[in-house]
Amino acid sequence: MKAFEKNIRRVEPYVPGEQPQHKVIKLNTNENPYPPAPGVKKVLEQMDADRLRLYPDPEASVLVEALAEHYGVGKGQVFVGVGSDDVLSMCFLTFFNSEKPVLFPDITYSFYKVWAELYRIPYECQKLDESFRIVREDYYKENGGVIFPNPNAPTGIYEGLEFVEDIIAHNQDVIVIVDEAYIDFAGKSALELLERYENLIVVQTFSKARSMAGMRIGYAIASPELIKHLNDVKYSFNSYTMNQTSLACGVEAVKDQAYFERTVKQIVDTRAWAVKQFEELGFTCLDSGANFVFVTHPAHDAGELFEELKKDGIYVRYWGSGRIRQYLRITIGTREEMEALFAFFRNKFID
Ligand code: PMP
């Protein structure tokens, strides 16, 4: 080993789902199958390239204001970042600084472990029960902070507000982050608990329900005190995280509530229909509150299905390890995309 190599920070990075550059049926990274709100397209068409000479507003004011108005919170309660990955990573850096371990589920968004390792934060994974549900009592013990997604990923399971509040209430000496990347497809958000819990941070994204994964916009909503701490860390890292285009497009997406509701409903309806199809084919589906389903089949190996689907140009997500070895996570696409998936299964299962 060369002397300088001793000082290199070595990390095992998060592995994102594949982004094939040729045309496939893409049900592997929980993108929205519908385009962003029409106003976003208009903004892009009218963008003045000359504006790009200038740095963007480091406070991302227009987007912060649009989100504050939309959720009925103060401007000082909103933090925006380059996707919720950026926001969550800033939260880890800012709020998880204890000697005690941060707690999160063993089967969850795998980036949590990566950030904990990267920032050298001690952590302890809490096992989901046999039905892949979070066990609330596991989060009652002493810890350095708590984070979990609701709905959880990749299970898709949504827990009601009483459950979420119970975990927050048992952890008022540390920060609790509820990652609500998929909340719009599920039920009530933890946002309404903010009034009662000053240790709560709710993180959401434009990547799923707002069809803007490629734009990279995420946000956190919390008390003005916590948001100030987040901003202090952000300004110590990179002042200009949000580019001009994202800011302008983000505002348009927030404004169009009717479009948002329509496309979310389409996905939720397709999900209900798809679950029935999966069950008719003999799959077991975990109860999903997300824009994806987590499925397993008693007679077909998940790894083999994954490979064969891929050969047929249908991409889904497969981890192939531990308790989820026999599961596939399948994003809800358009009705036509899902029909193609089920046609594949029908042909395969009859052979
Ligand atoms: N949280 C969860 C649970 C996710 O599944 C994802 C999507 N990969 C994210 C956060 C990050 O999404 P984004 O950075 O696109 O906002």
Side-chain angles (χ1 to χ4, degrees):
M1 194 192 241
K2 294 182 189 114
F4 64 77
E5 287 181 324
K6 283 203 305 284
N7 298 329
I8 294 175
R9 188 179 290 258
R10 281 160 212 278
V11 287
E12 200 177 309
Y14 169 74
V15 184
E18 282 178 80
Q19 297 297 341
Q21 298 305 307
H22 54 289
K23 196 161 167 42
V24 297
I25 295 184
K26 199 168 173 311
L27 308 173
N28 68 334
T29 51
N30 299 341
E31 288 134 335
N32 195 312
Y34 304 110
V40 173
K41 190 160 179 247
K42 241 185 244 150
V43 169
L44 288 172
E45 283 163 358
Q46 289 165 6
M47 278 302 285
D48 176 5
D50 187 48
R51 290 256 323 147
L52 299 180
R53 291 182 304 105
L54 307 173
Y55 282 108
D57 168 18
E59 293 177 18
S61 307
V62 286
L63 186 55
V64 164
E65 278 163 27
L67 286 166
E69 193 184 314
H70 181 74
Y71 290 108
V73 297
K75 280 186 282 186
Q77 290 185 263
V78 181
F79 174 86
V80 293
V82 186
S84 54
D85 282 341
D86 179 40
V87 175
L88 290 164
S89 134
M90 285 289 121
C91 287
F92 268 63
L93 193 53
T94 310
F95 301 113
F96 293 162
N97 287 291
S98 166
E99 313 269 279
K100 294 176 200 151
V102 167
L103 308 181
F104 47 82
D106 64 336
I107 298 169
T108 195
Y109 188 34
S110 48
F111 229 139
Y112 300 160
K113 204 167 158 181
V114 175
W115 289 315
E117 298 273 356
L118 175 65
Y119 297 137
R120 298 177 185 164
I121 300 164
Y123 64 94
E124 207 181 83
C125 296
Q126 308 302 304
K127 214 167 167 222
L128 298 184
D129 72 12
E130 291 89 79
S131 352
F132 291 111
R133 296 188 66 160
I134 294 173
V135 180
R136 62 171 86 182
E137 292 81 6
D138 289 345
Y139 298 81
Y140 291 176
K141 62 185 146 202
E142 237 188 291
N143 62 66
V146 172
I147 177 163
F148 61 94
N150 194 37
N152 194 8
T155 63
I157 294 174
Y158 168 77
E159 300 292 353
L161 266 201
E162 181 273 327
F163 179 101
V164 174
E165 179 166 9
D166 184 60
I167 292 182
I168 302 164
H170 277 89
N171 285 287
Q172 297 190 51
D173 291 337
V174 295
I175 298 296
V176 178
I177 303 171
V178 184
D179 174 357
E180 293 191 335
Y182 302 102
I183 194 68
D184 303 305
F185 308 105
K188 276 196 172 184
S189 160
L191 282 170
E192 67 183 73
L193 302 175
L194 281 170
E195 272 176 19
R196 295 207 289 287
Y197 298 95
E198 56 186 16
N199 61 322
L200 169 64
I201 302 177
V202 178
V203 176
Q204 297 189 1
T205 178
F206 282 51
S207 298
K208 315 296 177 184
R210 293 196 192 276
S211 307
M212 289 170 76
M215 203 45 109
R216 312 303 299 127
I217 307 176
Y219 52 101
I221 302 187
S223 72
E225 291 71 28
L226 295 188
I227 295 300
K228 160 125 192 11
H229 290 303
L230 257 182
N231 272 316
D232 288 346
V233 169
K234 171 204 140 162
Y235 288 124
S236 313
F237 200 89
N238 176 2
S239 323
Y240 304 111
T241 52
M242 305 302 292
N243 67 66
Q244 310 262 26
T245 317
S246 298
L247 292 176
C249 291
V251 170
E252 284 308 310
V254 177
K255 273 196 214 154
D256 199 339
Q257 184 65 12
Y259 182 83
F260 169 81
E261 284 172 14
R262 199 161 66 241
T263 48
V264 165
K265 183 172 182 310
Q266 266 173 296
I267 291 168
V268 169
D269 289 348
T270 308
R271 182 181 71 199
W273 166 80
V275 165
K276 279 204 203 106
Q277 304 294 307
F278 278 118
E279 286 173 350
E280 274 173 24
L281 286 160
F283 283 93
T284 303
C285 301
L286 299 193
D287 192 15
S288 174
N291 66 338
F292 58 84
V293 283
F294 204 46
V295 302
T296 184
H297 198 285
H300 294 273
D301 180 71
E304 274 172 33
L305 288 179
F306 168 76
E307 290 300 341
E308 287 171 35
L309 278 163
K310 194 164 162 181
K311 275 191 218 139
D312 241 46
I314 303 177
Y315 281 51
V316 301
R317 194 84 196 261
Y318 171 63
W319 283 271
S321 64
R323 280 201 287 164
I324 60 171
R325 184 179 295 279
Q326 284 306 332
Y327 280 81
L328 296 174
R329 190 197 68 190
I330 303 178
T331 306
I332 302 296
T334 59
R335 177 84 178 218
E336 294 70 35
E337 289 172 323
M338 301 310 281
E339 299 270 14
L341 174 80
F342 294 123
F344 168 92
F345 285 138
R346 272 188 206 102
N347 289 338
K348 149 109 197 134
F349 290 6
I350 289 163
D351 284 349

